[in-house]
Coordinates of all heavy atoms in Angstrom, one line a residue:
M322 N -6.1 -3.3 -1.3 CA -7.6 -3.6 -1.1 C -8.3 -2.4 -0.4 O -9.2 -1.8 -0.9 CB -7.8 -4.8 -0.3 CG -7.9 -6.1 -1.0 SD -8.3 -7.5 0.1 CE -6.7 -7.9 0.6
D323 N -7.9 -2.1 0.8 CA -8.6 -1.1 1.7 C -7.7 -0.7 2.8 O -6.8 -1.3 3.2 CB -10.0 -1.6 2.1 CG -9.8 -2.9 3.1 OD1 -9.3 -2.8 4.1 OD2 -10.5 -3.9 2.6
G324 N -8.0 0.3 3.3 CA -7.1 0.8 4.5 C -7.5 2.3 4.7 O -8.3 2.9 4.1
Q325 N -6.9 2.8 5.8 CA -6.9 4.2 6.2 C -5.6 4.5 6.9 O -5.0 3.7 7.6 CB -8.1 4.5 6.9 CG -8.3 4.0 8.3 CD -9.7 4.4 9.0 OE1 -10.7 4.5 8.3 NE2 -9.7 4.5 10.2
F326 N -5.3 5.8 6.9 CA -4.1 6.2 7.6 C -4.4 7.7 8.1 O -5.1 8.4 7.6 CB -2.9 6.2 6.6 CG -3.1 7.0 5.4 CD1 -2.6 8.4 5.3 CD2 -3.7 6.4 4.3 CE1 -2.7 9.1 4.2 CE2 -3.7 7.2 3.1 CZ -3.2 8.5 3.0
S327 N -3.7 8.0 9.2 CA -3.8 9.3 9.7 C -2.4 10.1 9.7 O -1.4 9.5 9.6 CB -4.3 9.2 11.3 OG -5.5 8.6 11.3
F328 N -2.5 11.4 9.6 CA -1.4 12.3 9.6 C -1.6 13.5 10.2 O -2.8 14.0 10.4 CB -0.8 12.4 8.1 CG -1.9 13.2 7.2 CD1 -1.8 14.5 7.0 CD2 -2.9 12.5 6.5 CE1 -2.7 15.2 6.1 CE2 -3.8 13.2 5.8 CZ -3.9 14.4 5.6
R329 N -0.6 14.3 10.5 CA -0.7 15.6 11.2 C -0.6 16.6 10.1 O 0.4 16.6 9.3 CB 0.3 15.8 12.2 CG 0.1 17.1 13.0 CD 0.9 17.1 14.2 NE 0.8 15.9 15.1 CZ -0.2 15.7 16.0 NH1 -1.2 16.6 16.0 NH2 -0.4 14.8 16.8
A330 N -1.6 17.4 9.9 CA -1.5 18.5 8.8 C -0.8 19.6 9.3 O -0.2 19.8 10.5 CB -3.0 19.0 8.6
A331 N -0.4 20.6 8.3 CA 0.5 21.7 8.6 C -0.1 22.5 9.7 O 0.7 23.1 10.5 CB 0.6 22.5 7.4
D332 N -1.4 22.6 9.9 CA -2.0 23.3 11.0 C -2.0 22.7 12.4 O -2.4 23.2 13.3 CB -3.4 23.8 10.6 CG -4.4 22.7 10.5 OD1 -4.0 21.4 10.8 OD2 -5.5 22.8 10.2
G333 N -1.4 21.5 12.4 CA -1.3 20.8 13.7 C -2.4 19.7 13.9 O -2.4 18.8 14.7
S334 N -3.5 19.8 13.1 CA -4.7 18.9 13.2 C -4.3 17.5 12.8 O -3.5 17.4 11.8 CB -5.9 19.4 12.6 OG -5.7 19.5 11.2
V335 N -5.1 16.5 13.2 CA -4.8 15.2 12.7 C -6.0 14.8 11.7 O -7.1 15.1 12.0 CB -4.9 14.1 13.9 CG1 -4.8 12.7 13.5 CG2 -3.7 14.4 14.8
R336 N -5.6 14.4 10.6 CA -6.6 14.0 9.6 C -6.4 12.6 9.2 O -5.3 12.0 9.2 CB -6.3 14.9 8.3 CG -6.4 16.4 8.7 CD -7.1 17.2 7.7 NE -7.1 18.6 8.1 CZ -6.7 19.6 7.5 NH1 -6.4 19.4 6.2 NH2 -6.9 20.9 7.9
T337 N -7.6 12.0 8.7 CA -7.5 10.6 8.5 C -8.1 10.4 7.0 O -9.1 11.1 6.7 CB -8.4 9.8 9.4 OG1 -7.8 10.0 10.7 CG2 -8.4 8.3 9.0
L338 N -7.3 9.7 6.1 CA -7.9 9.3 4.8 C -8.1 7.9 4.7 O -7.4 7.2 5.3 CB -6.9 9.8 3.8 CG -6.5 11.2 3.6 CD1 -5.5 11.5 2.7 CD2 -7.8 12.1 3.2
A339 N -9.1 7.6 3.9 CA -9.5 6.1 3.7 C -9.6 5.9 2.3 O -9.9 6.7 1.5 CB -10.8 5.8 4.4
Y340 N -9.5 4.6 1.9 CA -9.7 4.0 0.5 C -10.1 2.7 0.4 O -9.8 1.9 1.4 CB -8.4 4.3 -0.3 CG -7.3 3.4 0.3 CD1 -7.0 2.1 -0.2 CD2 -6.4 3.9 1.5 CE1 -6.0 1.3 0.3 CE2 -5.4 3.0 1.9 CZ -5.2 1.8 1.3 OH -4.1 1.0 1.9
V341 N -10.7 2.3 -0.6 CA -11.2 0.9 -0.8 C -11.1 0.6 -2.2 O -11.6 1.5 -3.1 CB -12.6 0.6 -0.2 CG1 -13.6 1.4 -0.7 CG2 -12.9 -0.9 -0.1
R342 N -10.9 -0.6 -2.7 CA -10.9 -1.0 -4.0 C -11.9 -2.3 -4.0 O -11.5 -3.3 -3.3 CB -9.6 -1.4 -4.5 CG -9.7 -1.9 -6.0 CD -8.2 -2.1 -6.4 NE -8.2 -3.0 -7.7 CZ -7.2 -3.5 -8.2 NH1 -5.9 -3.1 -7.7 NH2 -7.3 -4.2 -9.2
G343 N -13.0 -2.2 -4.7 CA -13.9 -3.3 -4.6 C -15.0 -3.2 -5.6 O -15.0 -2.6 -6.6
V344 N -16.3 -3.8 -5.2 CA -17.4 -3.9 -6.1 C -18.5 -3.1 -5.2 O -18.8 -3.3 -4.1 CB -17.8 -5.3 -6.3 CG1 -19.1 -5.3 -7.1 CG2 -16.7 -6.0 -7.0
I345 N -19.2 -2.2 -5.9 CA -20.4 -1.6 -5.3 C -21.5 -2.6 -4.8 O -22.0 -3.3 -5.8 CB -21.0 -0.4 -6.2 CG1 -19.9 0.6 -6.5 CG2 -22.3 0.1 -5.6 CD1 -20.4 1.7 -7.5
E346 N -21.8 -2.6 -3.7 CA -23.0 -3.5 -3.2 C -24.2 -2.9 -3.4 O -25.1 -3.5 -3.8 CB -22.7 -3.9 -1.7 CG -21.6 -4.9 -1.4 CD -21.6 -5.2 0.1 OE1 -22.0 -4.4 0.9 OE2 -21.2 -6.3 0.4
S347 N -24.3 -1.6 -3.0 CA -25.5 -0.7 -3.1 C -25.3 0.7 -3.3 O -24.3 1.2 -3.0 CB -26.4 -1.0 -1.9 OG -25.7 -0.5 -0.7
V348 N -26.3 1.3 -4.0 CA -26.3 2.8 -4.2 C -27.6 3.2 -3.4 O -28.5 2.8 -3.7 CB -26.2 3.2 -5.6 CG1 -26.3 4.7 -5.7 CG2 -25.1 2.6 -6.3
N349 N -27.4 4.0 -2.5 CA -28.6 4.5 -1.7 C -29.1 5.8 -1.8 O -28.5 6.8 -1.3 CB -28.1 4.3 -0.1 CG -27.7 2.9 0.1 OD1 -28.3 1.9 -0.2 ND2 -26.4 2.8 0.6
N350 N -30.1 6.0 -2.7 CA -30.8 7.2 -3.1 C -29.8 8.3 -3.3 O -30.1 9.5 -3.1 CB -31.6 7.7 -1.8 CG -32.7 6.6 -1.6 OD1 -33.4 6.1 -2.4 ND2 -33.0 6.5 -0.2
G351 N -28.6 7.9 -4.0 CA -27.7 9.1 -4.5 C -27.1 9.7 -3.3 O -26.4 10.8 -3.5
T352 N -27.3 9.3 -2.0 CA -26.5 9.9 -1.0 C -25.3 9.0 -0.4 O -24.5 9.7 0.3 CB -27.6 10.1 0.3 OG1 -28.1 8.8 0.7 CG2 -28.7 10.9 -0.2
S353 N -25.3 7.8 -0.7 CA -24.2 7.0 -0.2 C -24.1 5.8 -1.0 O -24.9 5.3 -1.8 CB -24.4 6.6 1.3 OG -25.6 5.7 1.4
I354 N -23.0 5.1 -1.0 CA -22.7 3.9 -1.6 C -22.0 2.8 -0.6 O -21.4 3.4 0.4 CB -21.9 3.8 -2.8 CG1 -20.4 4.4 -2.5 CG2 -22.4 4.7 -3.9 CD1 -19.5 4.4 -3.7
V355 N -22.2 1.6 -0.8 CA -21.5 0.5 0.0 C -20.7 -0.2 -1.0 O -21.1 -0.7 -2.0 CB -22.4 -0.3 0.8 CG1 -21.7 -1.4 1.5 CG2 -23.4 0.5 1.8
V356 N -19.3 -0.4 -0.5 CA -18.3 -1.0 -1.4 C -17.8 -2.2 -0.7 O -17.5 -2.1 0.5 CB -17.2 -0.2 -1.9 CG1 -16.2 -0.9 -2.7 CG2 -17.8 1.1 -2.6
Q357 N -17.8 -3.4 -1.4 CA -17.3 -4.6 -0.8 C -15.8 -4.9 -1.3 O -15.6 -5.0 -2.5 CB -18.0 -5.8 -1.0 CG -17.6 -7.1 -0.1 CD -18.4 -8.2 -0.4 OE1 -19.0 -8.6 -1.5 NE2 -18.5 -9.2 0.6
A358 N -14.9 -4.9 -0.4 CA -13.5 -5.2 -0.8 C -13.3 -6.6 -1.0 O -14.1 -7.4 -0.6 CB -12.5 -4.7 0.4
A359 N -12.1 -7.0 -1.7 CA -11.9 -8.4 -1.9 C -11.8 -9.2 -0.6 O -12.1 -10.4 -0.7 CB -10.5 -8.5 -2.6
D360 N -11.5 -8.7 0.6 CA -11.4 -9.4 1.8 C -12.7 -9.7 2.4 O -12.9 -10.3 3.5 CB -10.4 -8.7 2.8 CG -10.8 -7.4 3.2 OD1 -12.0 -7.0 2.8 OD2 -10.1 -6.8 4.0
G361 N -13.7 -9.2 1.7 CA -15.2 -9.4 2.3 C -15.7 -8.3 3.0 O -16.9 -8.2 3.5
S362 N -14.8 -7.3 3.5 CA -15.2 -6.3 4.4 C -16.1 -5.2 3.5 O -15.9 -5.0 2.3 CB -14.1 -5.4 5.0 OG -13.3 -4.9 4.0
S363 N -17.1 -4.5 4.1 CA -17.9 -3.6 3.5 C -17.7 -2.1 4.1 O -17.5 -2.0 5.2 CB -19.4 -4.0 3.6 OG -19.8 -5.1 2.9
W364 N -17.6 -1.3 3.2 CA -17.2 0.1 3.5 C -18.4 1.0 3.0 O -18.7 1.0 1.8 CB -15.9 0.5 2.8 CG -14.7 -0.2 3.4 CD1 -14.5 -1.4 3.4 CD2 -13.6 0.5 3.9 NE1 -13.2 -1.8 3.9 CE2 -12.7 -0.5 4.2 CE3 -13.2 1.8 4.2 CZ2 -11.4 -0.3 4.9 CZ3 -12.0 2.0 4.8 CH2 -11.0 1.0 5.1
A365 N -19.0 1.7 3.9 CA -20.0 2.7 3.6 C -19.4 4.1 3.3 O -18.6 4.5 4.1 CB -21.0 2.8 4.6
W366 N -19.8 4.8 2.2 CA -19.2 6.1 1.8 C -20.4 7.1 1.6 O -21.3 6.7 0.9 CB -18.5 5.9 0.6 CG -17.1 5.1 0.7 CD1 -17.1 3.7 0.7 CD2 -15.9 5.6 1.0 NE1 -15.7 3.4 0.9 CE2 -14.9 4.5 1.0 CE3 -15.3 6.9 1.2 CZ2 -13.7 4.6 1.2 CZ3 -14.0 7.0 1.5 CH2 -13.2 5.9 1.6
Q367 N -20.3 8.2 2.1 CA -21.3 9.3 1.8 C -20.9 9.9 0.5 O -19.7 10.2 0.3 CB -21.2 10.3 3.0 CG -21.7 9.8 4.3 CD -23.1 9.4 4.2 OE1 -24.0 10.1 3.7 NE2 -23.4 8.2 4.8
L368 N -21.8 10.3 -0.3 CA -21.6 11.1 -1.5 C -21.9 12.5 -1.0 O -22.8 12.8 -0.5 CB -22.7 10.7 -2.6 CG -22.5 9.3 -3.1 CD1 -23.5 8.9 -4.1 CD2 -21.1 8.8 -3.5
V369 N -20.8 13.4 -1.3 CA -20.9 14.7 -0.8 C -20.8 15.7 -2.0 O -20.6 15.3 -3.2 CB -19.7 15.1 0.2 CG1 -19.9 14.2 1.5 CG2 -18.4 14.8 -0.4
S370 N -21.0 16.9 -1.7 CA -21.0 18.0 -2.8 C -19.8 17.9 -3.6 O -19.8 18.4 -4.7 CB -21.4 19.4 -2.2 OG -20.4 19.7 -1.4
T371 N -18.6 17.6 -3.0 CA -17.4 17.7 -3.7 C -17.0 16.2 -4.3 O -15.8 16.1 -4.8 CB -16.2 18.0 -2.7 OG1 -16.3 17.3 -1.6 CG2 -16.5 19.6 -2.4
T372 N -17.9 15.2 -4.3 CA -17.5 13.9 -4.8 C -17.3 14.0 -6.3 O -18.2 14.7 -7.0 CB -18.7 12.9 -4.5 OG1 -18.8 12.7 -3.1 CG2 -18.3 11.6 -5.2
V373 N -16.2 13.4 -6.8 CA -15.9 13.4 -8.2 C -16.0 12.0 -8.6 O -15.3 11.1 -8.0 CB -14.6 14.0 -8.7 CG1 -14.3 13.9 -10.1 CG2 -14.7 15.5 -8.2
V374 N -16.7 11.6 -9.7 CA -16.9 10.3 -10.2 C -16.2 10.3 -11.5 O -16.6 11.1 -12.4 CB -18.3 9.8 -10.3 CG1 -18.3 8.3 -10.8 CG2 -19.0 9.9 -9.0
R375 N -15.3 9.3 -11.9 CA -14.6 9.3 -13.1 C -14.5 7.8 -13.7 O -14.6 6.9 -12.8 CB -13.2 9.8 -13.0 CG -13.0 11.3 -12.5 CD -11.6 11.7 -12.5 NE -11.0 11.7 -13.7 CZ -11.1 12.8 -14.7 NH1 -11.8 13.9 -14.4 NH2 -10.4 12.7 -15.9
D376 N -14.4 7.7 -14.9 CA -14.0 6.4 -15.5 C -12.8 6.7 -16.4 O -12.3 7.7 -16.5 CB -15.3 5.7 -16.1 CG -15.7 6.4 -17.4 OD1 -15.1 7.4 -17.9 OD2 -16.8 6.1 -17.8
G377 N -12.5 5.8 -17.2 CA -11.4 5.8 -18.3 C -11.6 6.9 -19.3 O -10.6 7.4 -19.8
T378 N -12.8 7.5 -19.3 CA -13.2 8.5 -20.5 C -13.1 9.9 -19.8 O -13.0 10.9 -20.5 CB -14.5 8.3 -21.2 OG1 -15.5 8.4 -20.2 CG2 -14.5 7.0 -21.9
G379 N -13.2 10.0 -18.5 CA -13.2 11.3 -17.9 C -14.4 11.2 -16.7 O -14.7 10.4 -16.3
K380 N -14.8 12.6 -16.4 CA -15.8 12.7 -15.4 C -17.2 12.3 -15.8 O -17.5 12.6 -17.0 CB -15.8 14.3 -15.0 CG -16.6 14.6 -13.7 CD -16.5 16.0 -13.4 CE -17.4 16.3 -12.1 NZ -17.3 17.7 -11.8
I381 N -17.8 11.5 -14.9 CA -19.2 11.1 -15.3 C -20.0 11.4 -14.1 O -19.7 11.9 -13.0 CB -19.2 9.5 -15.6 CG1 -18.6 8.7 -14.2 CG2 -18.3 9.2 -16.7 CD1 -18.8 7.2 -14.4
S382 N -21.4 11.1 -14.2 CA -22.3 11.5 -13.3 C -22.5 10.6 -12.1 O -22.3 9.3 -12.3 CB -23.8 11.7 -13.9 OG -24.7 11.8 -12.9
E383 N -22.7 11.0 -10.9 CA -22.9 10.1 -9.8 C -24.0 9.2 -10.0 O -24.1 8.0 -9.6 CB -23.2 11.0 -8.5 CG -22.1 11.6 -7.9 CD -22.4 12.3 -6.8 OE1 -23.4 12.2 -6.0 OE2 -21.6 13.3 -6.2
S384 N -25.0 9.7 -10.8 CA -26.3 8.8 -11.1 C -26.0 7.6 -11.9 O -26.8 6.7 -12.0 CB -27.3 9.6 -11.7 OG -26.9 10.2 -13.0
S385 N -24.8 7.5 -12.5 CA -24.4 6.5 -13.3 C -23.8 5.3 -12.5 O -23.7 4.2 -13.0 CB -23.3 6.8 -14.3 OG -22.1 7.2 -13.8
L386 N -23.6 5.5 -11.2 CA -23.1 4.5 -10.3 C -24.1 3.4 -10.1 O -25.3 3.6 -9.9 CB -22.7 5.0 -8.9 CG -21.6 6.0 -9.0 CD1 -21.3 6.6 -7.5 CD2 -20.2 5.3 -9.3
A387 N -23.7 2.1 -10.2 CA -24.6 1.0 -10.1 C -24.0 -0.2 -9.3 O -22.8 -0.4 -9.4 CB -25.2 0.5 -11.4
A388 N -25.0 -0.9 -8.7 CA -24.4 -2.1 -7.9 C -23.7 -3.1 -8.9 O -24.0 -3.1 -10.1 CB -25.5 -2.8 -7.3
G389 N -22.6 -3.7 -8.5 CA -21.8 -4.6 -9.4 C -20.6 -4.0 -10.1 O -19.8 -4.8 -10.6
E390 N -20.5 -2.7 -10.1 CA -19.5 -2.1 -10.7 C -18.2 -2.2 -9.8 O -18.3 -2.0 -8.7 CB -19.6 -0.6 -11.0 CG -20.7 -0.3 -12.1 CD -20.9 1.1 -12.4 OE1 -21.2 1.8 -11.5 OE2 -20.7 1.5 -13.6
Q391 N -17.0 -2.3 -10.5 CA -15.8 -2.3 -9.8 C -15.3 -0.9 -9.7 O -15.3 -0.1 -10.7 CB -14.7 -3.1 -10.5 CG -15.1 -4.6 -10.4 CD -14.0 -5.5 -10.7 OE1 -12.8 -5.0 -10.4 NE2 -14.2 -6.7 -11.0
V392 N -14.9 -0.5 -8.4 CA -14.5 0.9 -8.2 C -13.3 1.0 -7.3 O -13.0 0.1 -6.6 CB -15.7 1.8 -7.6 CG1 -16.8 1.9 -8.5 CG2 -16.2 1.1 -6.3
W393 N -12.7 2.2 -7.2 CA -11.8 2.7 -6.3 C -12.3 3.8 -5.7 O -12.7 4.8 -6.4 CB -10.5 2.9 -6.8 CG -9.4 3.3 -5.8 CD1 -8.4 2.5 -5.2 CD2 -9.2 4.6 -5.3 NE1 -7.8 3.2 -4.2 CE2 -8.2 4.5 -4.3 CE3 -9.7 5.8 -5.4 CZ2 -7.7 5.6 -3.6 CZ3 -9.3 6.9 -4.7 CH2 -8.3 6.7 -3.8
V394 N -12.5 4.0 -4.4 CA -13.1 5.1 -3.6 C -12.0 5.7 -2.6 O -11.4 4.7 -1.9 CB -14.3 4.7 -3.0 CG1 -15.0 5.9 -2.4 CG2 -15.3 4.0 -3.9
G395 N -11.9 6.9 -2.6 CA -11.0 7.4 -1.5 C -11.6 8.9 -1.1 O -12.3 9.4 -1.7
G396 N -11.2 9.1 0.2 CA -11.6 10.5 0.8 C -11.3 10.6 2.3 O -10.7 9.6 2.8
P397 N -11.6 11.7 2.8 CA -11.3 11.9 4.3 C -12.4 11.2 5.2 O -13.5 10.9 4.6 CB -11.4 13.3 4.5 CG -12.3 13.8 3.4 CD -12.2 12.9 2.1
V398 N -11.9 10.9 6.4 CA -12.9 10.4 7.3 C -13.2 11.6 8.2 O -12.3 12.1 8.8 CB -12.3 9.3 8.2 CG1 -13.3 8.8 9.3 CG2 -11.8 8.2 7.3
V399 N -14.5 12.0 8.2 CA -14.9 13.3 9.0 C -15.9 12.9 10.0 O -17.0 12.3 9.8 CB -15.6 14.3 8.0 CG1 -16.0 15.5 8.9 CG2 -14.6 14.6 7.0
S400 N -15.5 13.0 11.4 CA -16.3 12.5 12.5 C -16.8 11.1 12.3 O -18.0 10.8 12.5 CB -17.5 13.5 12.6 OG -17.1 14.8 12.8
G401 N -16.0 10.2 11.9 CA -16.2 8.8 11.8 C -16.9 8.4 10.5 O -17.2 7.2 10.3
V402 N -17.2 9.4 9.6 CA -18.0 9.0 8.4 C -17.0 9.2 7.3 O -16.3 10.3 7.1 CB -19.2 10.0 8.3 CG1 -19.9 9.7 6.9 CG2 -20.2 9.9 9.4
K403 N -16.9 8.3 6.4 CA -16.1 8.3 5.2 C -16.7 9.1 4.0 O -17.8 8.7 3.6 CB -15.8 6.9 4.7 CG -15.0 6.0 5.7 CD -14.9 4.7 5.2 CE -14.3 3.8 6.2 NZ -15.2 3.6 7.4
D404 N -16.2 10.2 3.7 CA -16.6 11.1 2.6 C -16.0 10.7 1.4 O -14.8 10.8 1.2 CB -16.4 12.6 2.9 CG -17.3 13.1 4.0 OD1 -18.2 12.4 4.4 OD2 -17.0 14.3 4.5
A405 N -16.7 10.2 0.3 CA -16.2 9.8 -1.0 C -15.8 11.1 -1.8 O -16.7 11.9 -2.1 CB -17.2 9.0 -1.8
R406 N -14.7 11.4 -1.9 CA -14.1 12.5 -2.6 C -13.8 12.2 -4.1 O -13.9 12.9 -5.1 CB -13.0 13.2 -2.1 CG -13.3 13.8 -0.6 CD -14.2 15.0 -0.7 NE -14.7 15.4 0.6 CZ -14.1 16.2 1.3 NH1 -12.9 16.9 0.8 NH2 -14.5 16.6 2.5
L407 N -13.3 10.9 -4.3 CA -13.0 10.5 -5.6 C -13.5 9.0 -5.8 O -13.2 8.2 -5.0 CB -11.5 10.4 -6.0 CG -11.1 9.9 -7.3 CD1 -11.7 10.6 -8.5 CD2 -9.5 10.0 -7.4
I408 N -14.3 8.8 -6.8 CA -14.7 7.5 -7.1 C -14.2 7.1 -8.5 O -14.7 7.9 -9.5 CB -16.3 7.3 -7.0 CG1 -16.8 7.6 -5.7 CG2 -16.8 5.9 -7.5 CD1 -18.3 7.7 -5.4
F409 N -13.4 6.1 -8.7 CA -13.0 5.8 -10.0 C -13.7 4.4 -10.4 O -13.4 3.4 -9.7 CB -11.5 5.7 -10.1 CG -11.0 5.5 -11.5 CD1 -10.9 6.5 -12.5 CD2 -10.6 4.2 -11.9 CE1 -10.5 6.3 -13.7 CE2 -10.2 3.9 -13.3 CZ -10.2 5.0 -14.2
V410 N -14.5 4.5 -11.5 CA -15.1 3.3 -12.0 C -14.1 2.6 -12.9 O -13.7 3.1 -13.9 CB -16.4 3.7 -12.7 CG1 -17.0 2.3 -13.2 CG2 -17.3 4.3 -11.9
R411 N -13.8 1.4 -12.5 CA -12.8 0.5 -13.3 C -13.5 -0.3 -14.4 O -14.7 -0.6 -14.2 CB -12.1 -0.4 -12.3 CG -11.3 0.4 -11.3 CD -10.6 -0.5 -10.2 NE -10.3 -1.9 -10.6 CZ -10.5 -2.9 -9.9 NH1 -11.2 -2.8 -8.7 NH2 -10.2 -4.0 -10.3
P412 N -12.8 -0.4 -15.4 CA -13.5 -1.2 -16.6 C -13.5 -2.7 -16.1 O -12.7 -3.2 -15.3 CB -12.4 -1.1 -17.7 CG -11.1 -0.6 -17.1 CD -11.5 0.1 -15.8
P413 N -14.5 -3.4 -16.7 CA -14.7 -4.7 -16.3 C -13.4 -5.6 -16.7 O -12.7 -5.3 -17.8 CB -15.9 -5.2 -17.2 CG -16.6 -4.0 -17.7 CD -15.4 -2.9 -17.6
S414 N -13.1 -6.4 -15.8 CA -11.9 -7.2 -16.1 C -12.2 -8.3 -17.1 O -13.3 -8.7 -17.3 CB -11.4 -7.9 -14.8 OG -12.4 -8.8 -14.3
G415 N -11.1 -8.8 -17.9 CA -11.4 -9.8 -18.9 C -11.5 -9.1 -20.2 O -11.6 -9.0 -21.1

C-alpha cells in the first residue's frame, strides 16, 4: 500500500525513499498531487522537473493526471517533502 525506508548511500549520507499505491484525490495546478492509499492515509507529492509519468503504453504527460485515477507513486523524501520521480497510472480494475 504505502511506506518509506531509509538507507545509507555510498557517500555516507542517509537517504529516504517513499512510495504509495492508491487513487489520486487531487491534482493541484500541475505542481502536486494527493494520493489516498487503501488504508485511508493521504500522501502529498510534489511534481518536480524529473517526474516521469507512465501508463501501460509508455510515457505520458503530467497534464493527463486526474482525480480518481489509480496510481503507484515513488520517489525520494527531500527535507520532509515527497518528490514524485515516477508515477505509474494503473489501468482501471475489472
